[in-house]
Amino acid sequence: MENQNISNTKVSASIVTYQNNIDILRSTLASVQGADMAVDLFVIDNSPTTELQGLCEEFNASYFHNPQNPGFGASHNLAVFELTEPNIHLIINPDITFDGNTISQLVGFMNDHPEVACLVPKVVYPDGSLQRLCKLLPSPINLFSRRFASALAERLDEDYELRWFGYDQIVDIPYVSGCFMAVRTEVFRKIGGFDQRFFMYLEDTDLSRRLAQHGRVVFYPDAVVKHTFAKQSYKNRRLLFAHIKSAIQYFNKWGWFFDSERHHRNREAVAKIRAAMLKTKQDNHSTELNT
């Protein structure tokens, strides 16, 4: 059991909103307010109007209206660089809910493991089914086949989405979702936070690999959050184009087909995850033999 001595840990959180469903956002704010430890919550609202302000203030969240809408990453950067004190910061989507001890679980683990730069929980749908958000670093064929060649993508996703992984072990992951992240504020600031060239999409992929250059990026299955995941870019043409633009920016930055870091990190992650799974299987078999 991890050391839960978290009383001296300063925890902050930011939620970026844009004309969000009020009832869903209410549930997210209630989850943060119901945490079993203090969290300084900041809502950066990129909506054209201040319709969400009253709701945020109802839950004691500091509200900042940002109608110029600089994007997801830029808005979270505002919170981390200008509004919070260094320690642990939570990046939370406005459609996330969780139990009261979830934040203290994550903070406790990070306190016990100072080498961890980013920690993410298990993410499930509202019905409890698993969202496979732990991934390898993508190649161009991974991303573009998911939009335009679904049969090919289905074969490639076996490894890209780590579909053979049981999501039941603490492991390092090359690419974690930005829907819920616990980041060490000092490291986040050191790397300059989110790359603000990404308006939305792929900003978490880029952040994952830069955080991993300064610490571990870890999946922690004992903490669980629920995510109302809509995959809007599959339904909305404007968001689809935004996703494609971000993909082009990402591969222009890191390399299209020649990305040695991607190959190295993916190979290393797969080897370590498979080794962890094998060890668990052997340990379970040994336990069965001794009972």
Side-chain angles (χ1 to χ4, degrees):
M1 183 175 182
E2 300 300 332
N3 174 19
Q4 296 296 308
N5 181 16
I6 58 177
S7 58
N8 295 323
T9 305
K10 177 75 172 178
V11 180
S12 56
S14 54
I15 298 173
V16 174
T17 58
Y18 182 81
Q19 298 181 315
N20 291 89
N21 180 289
I22 288 181
D23 291 332
I24 294 176
L25 178 59
R26 182 186 300 276
S27 296
T28 302
L29 296 173
S31 290
V32 179
Q33 186 184 65
D36 59 2
M37 64 180 302
V39 179
D40 290 335
L41 177 60
F42 303 90
V43 175
I44 315 300
D45 185 16
N46 294 340
S47 307
T49 71
T50 58
E51 181 182 359
L52 301 176
Q53 182 173 1
L55 176 64
C56 295
E57 292 175 349
E58 177 185 334
F59 286 92
N60 299 315
S62 299
Y63 177 87
F64 295 86
H65 191 218
N66 204 23
Q68 66 271 26
N69 191 10
F72 176 87
S75 298
H76 279 295
N77 284 352
L78 169 66
V80 179
F81 283 91
E82 298 187 28
L83 305 176
T84 65
E85 298 177 13
N87 221 308
I88 292 175
H89 184 80
L90 308 173
I91 294 165
I92 304 175
N93 266 24
D95 55 358
I96 293 282
T97 57
F98 47 87
D99 292 337
N101 67 338
T102 299
I103 292 177
S104 60
Q105 286 180 296
L106 296 168
V107 172
F109 184 89
M110 292 185 77
N111 281 352
D112 285 340
H113 299 84
E115 77 283 3
V116 173
C118 176
L119 189 67
V120 298
K122 180 185 291 186
V123 181
V124 299
Y125 289 100
D127 65 3
S129 58
L130 179 67
Q131 293 188 21
R132 292 193 170 275
L133 300 183
C134 292
K135 299 182 177 73
L136 300 180
L137 295 175
S139 68
I141 195 171
N142 287 131
L143 294 190
F144 289 104
S145 66
R146 289 160 71 87
R147 292 295 181 275
F148 307 111
S150 57
L152 174 61
E154 186 66 23
R155 295 196 298 271
L156 295 174
D157 281 350
E158 180 69 21
D159 279 330
Y160 173 56
E161 291 188 339
L162 302 172
R163 291 185 178 179
W164 39 265
F165 173 47
Y167 279 71
D168 54 357
Q169 294 166 307
I170 298 171
V171 291
D172 290 36
I173 297 292
Y175 163 24
V176 294
S177 170
C179 72
F180 193 113
M181 290 177 162
V183 296
R184 206 170 294 281
T185 314
E186 179 183 9
V187 179
F188 187 91
R189 289 179 170 180
K190 181 177 182 179
I191 66 172
F194 283 105
D195 185 334
Q196 298 184 178
R197 289 175 292 182
F198 298 97
F199 179 77
M200 61 188 301
Y201 303 116
L202 277 297
E203 72 287 323
D204 50 0
T205 321
D206 174 79
L207 183 70
S208 295
R209 62 189 297 171
R210 288 188 293 114
L211 285 169
Q213 294 172 345
H214 297 272
R216 294 174 61 199
V217 175
V218 176
F219 167 72
Y220 184 66
D222 292 348
V224 181
V225 304
K226 292 182 179 179
H227 180 207
T228 306
F229 186 35
K231 289 190 176 181
Q232 289 296 329
S233 70
Y234 285 79
K235 306 172 184 178
N236 183 303
R237 184 177 296 273
R238 180 178 62 83
L239 294 180
L240 171 61
F241 287 141
H243 205 155
I244 293 172
K245 178 181 178 181
S246 288
I248 292 171
Q249 290 174 318
Y250 174 84
F251 292 118
N252 282 345
K253 177 177 180 177
W254 292 101
W256 286 76
F257 299 102
F258 300 99
D259 181 354
S260 60
E261 181 181 352
R262 177 179 74 218
H263 294 304
H264 170 74
R265 288 200 178 162
N266 286 351
R267 283 197 304 268
E268 182 179 55
V270 168
K272 288 183 176 180
I273 295 170
R274 289 194 182 279
M277 292 172 61
L278 178 60
K279 183 178 186 304
T280 298
K281 183 177 180 180
Q282 292 172 338
D283 290 344
N284 290 341
H285 181 64
S286 178
T287 300
E288 291 172 359
L289 292 177
N290 293 327
T291 57

